[in-house]
Amino acid sequence: MTHPTTPRHTGRADAALLCLLASTALAPLTLLPLQAHAGPLAFDAALQQLQQRSDQLAASRNAVESAQLRRDAMQRLGGPVVNLSGAAYTYNANLDVDLNPLNRALPGELSQLPPQLAGSLAQMPHLPPGYTLNRSKSDTTASVSAIWPIYMGGASHAARGLLDAQAQEALADATKTSHEATTLLVQRYFGAQLAQRAAVLRESALATIEQHDAAAQKMLDAGVIARVERLQARSALEEARRNARKARDDAELAATALTRTLKATDPVTPTSPLFVLSQPVEPLPHFIDTALAHHPGLDKVAAKKEQATQLHAAQEALRKPQVFAFGQRQLKTGRDADWVAGVGVRWTLWDSIDRNALAESSNRQIEQAERTGAQAQNDIALLVEKRWLALEQARRAYFALQPGLELADEVLRLRISGLKAGTSTTLDLIDAQVNQAKAQTERAQAAHDYVKALADLLEACGLSEDFGKYMARADALKVE
């Protein structure tokens, strides 16, 4: 782009590309919709729609619910367990008995009896060499048994604590995902606003160049201007058409990205304007303290430390004796029902696993989580300070552009008057229009940078849900 102090023949096409109609150059530009059938949507409604339709957020919520349900399932861990067992059976048993030894020993035994008795027994038939006993039966059996851990060394409590910590980690991950999704929505929502405004400027510039082109042809026919000025106008027109099409494509792409982010069926037109707060936000210590209290990354580190602590407790519980009560009774009427009840103790005196090494390992995990948490606090504090400064720089940059915009408006007004009085040329007017368009574009970009910096700061502090509150506090001129 050119400035009044640069040679008029350099950058003329790009300058004409952004110029506005002289009759409306001093009036504020209004934002035109990208498509007539696009659905207007405010930012708070877009955020609500994102929370309802985002697959990423739904997946993170499912992870939290899964962890919580797993913890609920273990609520009564360590309580009594009652089992009912039953069986239907049939059997056939055979027992072969060898009688040959008895047949061989029987004569000798008979000889020792009285003659009268031995004679009568001698007339008995001989025993067979063997005999097979057979027994078969079909029956059913049922019993109920119970076991109740009385003392487990704290293993049950450690298991529930571990599941609690895992649920806290899932919640921290879901919170982080939600904050990142909000920041992404801010970037795409207000990025679509900025792209749309750039497209309006390009289209307005094209309309202006078309008028200049027609006027230049008439002036050439009348012999008022040289042929080179006519060629400059024609070249500027073609450049304006190319850039207007590119700006329109960029705006449509930004609108498509926003529409797909919200999973909308129709194209979305953002209606909430870019904004800037005239006064600085809360002091840096406020945001650092908030970040150290609410950042989901620190919550995740704390959950990891708690998991390591509970694992250590569970390993220590295995060193202690376990006491439990048990009982079993056959489900059978009458006094002949079998039953048993008692108290048992189990204590592992020797194990092939080195429990001392496991204990040291879990202690190292706890220390690792502590060190990670300390480092994370330093990193988060530094990140918050960096983003807080970026936000303040964007705010100052936005208001620092105000004098330049006022100057551009005044110079354009003078060039319009000079053109009517014959003291300025068309190229002077184009330069003034370029400077004004450039100042307007830079101011809109500064507002976009402020909004993005605000979203980044709130994400770093774990306050992404407060973005709407800051947007409502905006007291500076909103960029429409």
Side-chain angles (χ1 to χ4, degrees):
M1 294 185 181
T2 61
H3 297 79
T5 57
T6 59
R8 293 177 178 174
H9 65 278
T10 59
R12 190 65 64 192
D14 186 62
L17 200 63
L18 293 176
C19 64
L20 306 174
L21 291 171
S23 59
T24 60
L26 299 180
L29 291 173
T30 57
L31 202 58
L32 300 178
L34 288 177
Q35 300 181 17
H37 62 279
L41 195 66
F43 178 79
D44 55 350
L47 181 59
Q48 183 178 6
Q49 196 172 109
L50 176 70
Q51 293 172 347
Q52 294 173 351
R53 298 182 179 181
S54 172
D55 292 330
Q56 185 181 25
L57 295 180
S60 64
R61 287 193 294 267
N62 288 336
V64 174
E65 292 172 1
S66 174
Q68 291 176 342
L69 290 173
R70 188 164 58 248
R71 170 60 179 88
D72 293 342
M74 298 297 176
Q75 179 62 36
R76 293 186 295 272
L77 183 65
V81 178
V82 179
N83 296 314
L84 179 64
S85 60
Y89 63 92
T90 181
Y91 70 89
N92 180 68
N94 295 314
L95 177 63
D96 294 330
V97 180
D98 186 9
L99 299 180
N100 287 324
L102 182 60
N103 286 329
R104 290 191 297 269
L106 187 58
E109 297 295 333
L110 292 176
S111 62
Q112 298 179 10
L113 296 175
Q116 297 82 1
L117 182 58
S120 61
L121 292 177
Q123 302 300 322
M124 294 179 61
H126 290 283
L127 296 175
Y131 185 77
T132 300
L133 298 176
N134 176 268
R135 182 175 179 84
S136 61
K137 184 179 180 181
S138 296
D139 203 353
T140 60
T141 181
S143 62
V144 60
S145 61
I147 184 169
W148 192 337
I150 299 175
Y151 176 72
M152 301 296 291
S156 300
H157 179 74
R160 287 191 293 268
L162 176 62
L163 294 174
D164 281 333
Q166 291 176 346
Q168 293 172 5
E169 181 182 1
L171 181 59
D173 289 337
T175 302
K176 181 176 181 291
T177 300
S178 177
H179 292 172
E180 291 174 347
T182 300
T183 302
L184 179 63
L185 177 63
V186 170
Q187 294 175 358
R188 292 187 174 177
Y189 185 93
F190 292 101
Q193 282 279 35
L194 181 62
Q196 191 177 30
R197 179 168 175 79
V200 170
L201 290 172
R202 293 289 185 178
E203 290 176 349
S204 299
L206 176 60
T208 301
I209 296 301
E210 287 174 344
Q211 289 192 356
H212 282 301
D213 181 74
Q217 183 61 44
K218 293 179 181 180
M219 295 172 69
L220 178 63
D221 295 341
V224 178
I225 63 173
R227 181 174 177 78
V228 66
E229 293 190 42
R230 175 68 187 94
L231 293 175
Q232 286 177 341
R234 182 176 299 174
S235 176
L237 177 61
E238 294 303 322
E239 185 73 13
R241 285 173 178 169
R242 289 195 300 270
N243 283 276
R245 284 194 297 268
K246 182 180 184 302
R248 175 57 55 185
D249 292 342
D250 291 343
E252 289 179 353
L253 179 60
T256 299
L258 176 61
T259 300
R260 292 186 178 179
T261 299
L262 298 177
K263 301 188 69 174
T265 56
D266 297 325
V268 174
T269 298
T271 58
S272 298
L274 292 164
F275 64 91
V276 178
L277 275 68
S278 61
Q279 299 297 323
V281 295
E282 290 82 359
L284 176 60
H286 165 79
F287 287 102
I288 292 179
D289 293 342
T290 302
L292 296 181
H294 297 92
H295 196 283
L298 296 178
D299 292 338
K300 182 171 183 176
V301 172
K304 287 290 188 181
K305 178 183 177 182
E306 182 63 18
Q307 291 177 38
T309 301
Q310 296 302 331
L311 281 175
H312 180 77
Q315 292 168 1
E316 291 300 306
L318 297 178
R319 298 174 180 264
K320 302 176 183 178
Q322 301 173 2
V323 182
F324 56 92
F326 65 91
Q328 183 177 6
R329 187 184 191 281
Q330 187 179 20
L331 295 178
K332 188 176 183 180
T333 59
R335 295 184 177 180
D336 56 346
D338 297 331
W339 63 273
V340 63
V343 177
V345 178
R346 182 176 182 271
W347 194 355
T348 302
L349 300 178
W350 174 259
D351 195 346
S352 58
I353 299 175
D354 189 344
R355 298 293 176 185
N356 292 328
L358 285 179
E360 283 299 316
S361 174
S362 57
N363 283 329
R364 294 295 185 273
Q365 288 180 336
I366 295 174
E367 184 178 355
Q368 176 190 6
E370 292 175 348
R371 300 280 186 175
T372 302
Q375 183 63 43
Q377 288 182 348
N378 291 332
D379 293 343
I380 289 173
L382 180 60
L383 178 64
V384 170
E385 183 173 359
K386 177 181 177 181
R387 293 185 174 180
W388 185 88
L389 292 174
L391 177 65
E392 183 60 17
Q393 290 172 359
R395 186 189 68 85
R396 291 196 299 263
Y398 176 83
F399 289 103
L401 293 173
Q402 180 62 30
L405 182 59
E406 294 175 354
L407 176 61
D409 291 342
E410 180 63 19
V411 170
L412 180 58
R413 187 187 67 81
L414 293 175
R415 294 306 184 192
I416 293 174
S417 300
L419 185 62
K420 294 179 180 179
T423 58
S424 297
T425 66
T426 303
L427 299 181
D428 291 330
L429 178 59
I430 291 176
D431 278 334
Q433 290 170 334
V434 167
N435 288 331
Q436 186 199 50
K438 178 183 177 182
Q440 291 174 340
T441 303
E442 289 177 348
R443 193 168 169 84
Q445 181 64 53
H448 177 267
D449 293 343
Y450 180 87
V451 170
K452 183 179 180 299
L454 176 61
D456 290 339
L457 174 62
L458 295 179
E459 179 187 344
C461 298
L463 297 175
S464 292
E465 64 277 4
D466 291 346
F467 181 85
K469 297 179 181 179
Y470 285 91
M471 185 169 61
R473 286 169 48 187
D475 54 352
L477 178 63
K478 296 184 178 180
V479 181
E480 299 289 351

